Amino acid sequence: MFVFAAVLSVLLAVVGLAAGLPKALLKGSIPAQLQSPGGLSAPLVRFIGLAELAAATGLIAGLFWQPVGVAAALGFAVLLVGAVGFHAKSGDYANPETRGNAMAPIILTIIAIATAFTLVLAS
């Protein structure tokens, strides 16, 4: 069970790093899209990016101390639920052109919860 938990943790950590770094630095197209008119403020986008980086760090640390990994996975799940809400408010699920990208937070939320669950079982 630990191997499965480790694979999920590393997968989520890579996603958290890849998603969080551009937001924390406010560089690239994703932070720009999030800050579009009617979107999020720059400090909030940076905060989200830092939270994603913290989750990635916690997921890797959780491989050595499971309570940290469980907390990081659950925190990441909460952050992703917020992303689902943002996409729903923006109408991304109703638009066929944006629906695919908007599904990622839903899938990642399920993976984050599964990661927390497997870390608990592995300890």
Side-chain angles (χ1 to χ4, degrees), residues 20-62:
L21 197 56
K23 292 176 192 154
L25 298 174
L26 295 176
K27 304 256 185 213
S29 63
I30 299 297
Q33 289 173 351
L34 291 172
Q35 296 176 67
S36 65
L40 305 175
S41 66
L44 182 56
V45 172
R46 180 168 278 140
F47 175 78
I48 292 168
L50 292 173
E52 289 171 340
L53 292 175
T57 304
L59 285 161
I60 297 303

Side-chain angles (χ1 to χ4, degrees), residues 9 12 17 19 25 33 35 49 65 78-79 99 103 117 120 122:
S9 294
L12 274 180
L17 180 65
L25 298 174
Q33 289 173 351
Q35 296 176 67
W65 190 30
V78 169
L79 182 79
R99 187 177 303 137
M103 292 303 290
F117 185 69
V120 168

